[in-house]
Amino acid sequence: MSSPILRLAQRAFCATAAALLAGCVTYTAAPADLDTVAADVARRSGGTFTVDEAIATALRQNPELRALEAELRASDAARLVPLQAQGEWRGGPETMGLVLDPIGLLGLGTRGAQGDLADARLTQAAEQLATARWRTAVAVSEAFVVDGALAALDVPDVALDVAAFERAGLASPVAAARLRAAQARAASERAELRAMRSRNLAKLRYLLGLPRTAELACVPLREDQLRQPAGDDASLLQRPDLRLAVERYRTADAAFRVAVWEQYPMPMLGPDIMLGGGPLQWMGMLRWPLLGQGNARAAGARRDAARATLEDALLEAHRGAADADLAFTAAQATVAATAAARDAARQALVAARAALEVQGDAFDRYTEAATMTLRETMEHRLATERAARAATQRAMAFGWPLSTPDATPLATISQEAR
């Protein structure tokens, strides 16, 4: 059967379908294999970085952050909530109908709640990215603090011709063996110091998205670039991970509202066109999701869980801040004590070395001083690294650098990262 009304309806249907299809996203290939990714990473170059330059590079190249940026774009795109529509073509007599959800068309009801949920997920994704950027900025800063602290350390020289003293009868076999052990420990301590710095730079390369072969050097931080925040609740509440916990609760609350709306019937209205000729009629449908109470109750329970998780995050932040505060104080005291012990041992080593020139029985004294000096040097190296990490962890526990926005350009970069 062919009629002007039929042809008009067909044209309208085709035009509507074409318009809707034109807005669809098309697939584009983006191949990724190990060789391609390895080549991309290998093209990145290192160099000498200030802490601000390093953080900016990490925000640009760190793959974890780039993945979260893509998740944020996905959450933004998902804010376009689909509108429920249904088309029908019936025979005998031939009719064509199209029904829509009128409440959803106005942005209300289930579709409105889904839009609110999409907005909540977008905010949560933004806070998740801000939290990851904050952690990355602090980790980069910690690497600079540790590198600067380790670069200031050295290993005393205990080189001495032990065999010459043995031939001269000035060194007993036991003392000679102990001095050789001290010399071996000195070589080991130099290797440990190099390895500690290399491991720290390897972590920094990862944070910056650099290959392991990239040259990397750190410009020492200025004293004002790591300013300890006040250890109060106001500083602690600046932490992005706590804001993320709040947004996770809000997302769970929005999901609960969606589940509540989905329990109820959804009216569908639209025209019913007689293709063989005849007056335009209206038709209505009712979609009723039976037994939807279980999903709503589950969503309510998940909101309760998110509320408890938010409280747990706050309490964990309090606990972690207290631990970090105590660890920082203890580390500062330990590094001061080990520095004093190392300096005293080095003074004794210098005096023992001078005595070797004038006293024939000074070899044992020098051996004792060398052994003690290297022991204190090792203790101070370990204490120095712990103190450097404790300083950044204590600052981070109280929201640094976001809690001290006037401190350094580092705070500005961290604020912009949000």
Side-chain angles (χ1 to χ4, degrees):
M1 174 183 296
S2 176
S3 69
I5 295 179
L6 176 59
R7 290 193 295 272
L8 180 61
Q10 290 172 335
R11 291 194 190 101
F13 178 80
C14 292
T16 303
L20 293 174
L21 291 174
C24 293
V25 177
T26 58
Y27 172 79
T28 56
D33 53 64
L34 286 178
D35 291 338
T36 302
V37 174
D40 290 342
V41 172
R43 281 192 290 270
R44 298 173 188 163
S45 58
T48 301
F49 292 85
T50 65
V51 67
D52 298 318
E53 292 168 344
I55 291 175
T57 301
L59 297 182
R60 185 176 63 254
Q61 293 186 166
N62 185 278
E64 178 186 359
L65 298 183
R66 297 203 329 267
L68 290 174
E69 288 169 0
E71 291 292 342
L72 180 61
R73 294 195 301 272
S75 297
D76 187 36
R79 295 173 66 197
L80 180 61
V81 180
L83 176 65
Q84 295 294 328
Q86 181 173 320
E88 293 186 350
W89 192 297
R90 301 174 188 153
E94 277 192 292
T95 61
M96 184 178 69
L98 177 65
V99 290
L100 299 171
D101 173 13
I103 297 176
L105 187 62
L106 297 174
L108 303 173
T110 302
R111 185 167 182 259
Q114 289 173 340
D116 292 340
L117 175 58
D119 290 341
R121 285 172 173 164
L122 175 63
T123 305
Q124 178 181 319
E127 288 297 345
Q128 188 169 352
L129 175 60
T131 299
R133 285 172 164 172
W134 169 62
R135 293 187 185 281
T136 300
V138 174
V140 169
S141 303
E142 181 179 86
F144 272 74
V145 173
V146 171
D147 184 77
L150 296 180
L153 300 180
D154 62 357
V155 179
D157 183 10
V158 294
L160 198 67
D161 190 350
V162 180
F165 279 83
E166 288 179 309
R167 289 192 298 270
L170 299 176
S172 68
V174 174
R178 291 186 63 191
L179 183 55
R180 288 192 176 96
Q183 291 172 340
R185 176 172 288 183
S188 173
E189 182 63 20
R190 293 188 186 93
E192 284 291 340
L193 184 57
R194 288 193 300 269
M196 191 174 281
R197 292 192 68 185
S198 296
R199 285 194 297 269
N200 184 59
L201 290 177
K203 180 180 179 180
L204 183 57
R205 285 189 186 90
Y206 164 75
L207 293 170
L208 302 187
L210 297 175
R212 63 181 180 85
T213 55
E215 295 292 331
L216 186 58
C218 302
V219 176
L221 270 71
R222 301 188 309 273
E223 290 185 2
D224 66 331
Q225 287 186 297
L226 178 57
R227 181 180 299 177
Q228 291 293 334
D232 53 21
D233 287 350
S235 298
L236 187 144
L237 293 178
Q238 294 293 315
R239 290 171 49 150
D241 57 339
L242 296 181
R243 292 197 298 269
L244 175 58
V246 171
E247 294 306 327
R248 283 174 172 160
Y249 168 77
R250 290 174 178 169
T251 299
D253 181 63
F256 183 29
R257 289 198 298 271
V258 171
V260 168
W261 272 106
E262 287 178 342
Q263 298 174 99
Y264 299 105
M266 179 191 299
M268 307 284 285
L269 299 174
D272 189 20
I273 304 172
M274 302 291 293
L275 298 180
L280 179 68
Q281 299 181 3
W282 289 92
M283 62 181 295
M285 300 176 62
L286 190 66
R287 289 188 173 182
W288 197 326
L290 301 177
L291 304 177
Q293 300 91 332
N295 288 338
R297 292 192 186 98
R302 282 191 287 269
R303 185 184 66 173
D304 293 341
R307 172 65 173 76
T309 301
L310 170 58
E311 182 178 338
D312 179 73
L314 179 60
L315 292 174
E316 175 61 23
H318 279 284
R319 184 203 64 77
D323 284 353
D325 205 16
L326 293 172
F328 173 66
T329 302
Q332 293 292 103
T334 301
V335 78
T338 57
R342 178 205 59 182
D343 293 344
R346 291 193 176 191
Q347 291 176 10
L349 180 66
V350 171
R353 182 61 186 250
L356 284 175
E357 305 296 332
V358 295
Q359 299 176 13
D361 59 348
F363 189 86
D364 284 356
R365 177 184 169 191
Y366 180 80
T367 298
E368 290 288 343
T371 301
M372 180 60 69
T373 300
L374 288 167
R375 182 182 300 119
E376 298 298 344
T377 297
M378 179 190 69
E379 292 293 335
H380 183 61
R381 169 177 57 83
L382 296 175
T384 297
E385 185 194 29
R386 283 195 298 268
R389 298 194 185 282
T392 51
Q393 291 304 308
R394 192 267 177 194
M396 179 181 181
F398 287 99
W400 177 83
L402 299 176
S403 58
T404 54
D406 60 336
T408 66
L410 170 62
T412 302
I413 291 176
S414 300
Q415 291 281 9
E416 291 174 351
R418 297 192 66 250

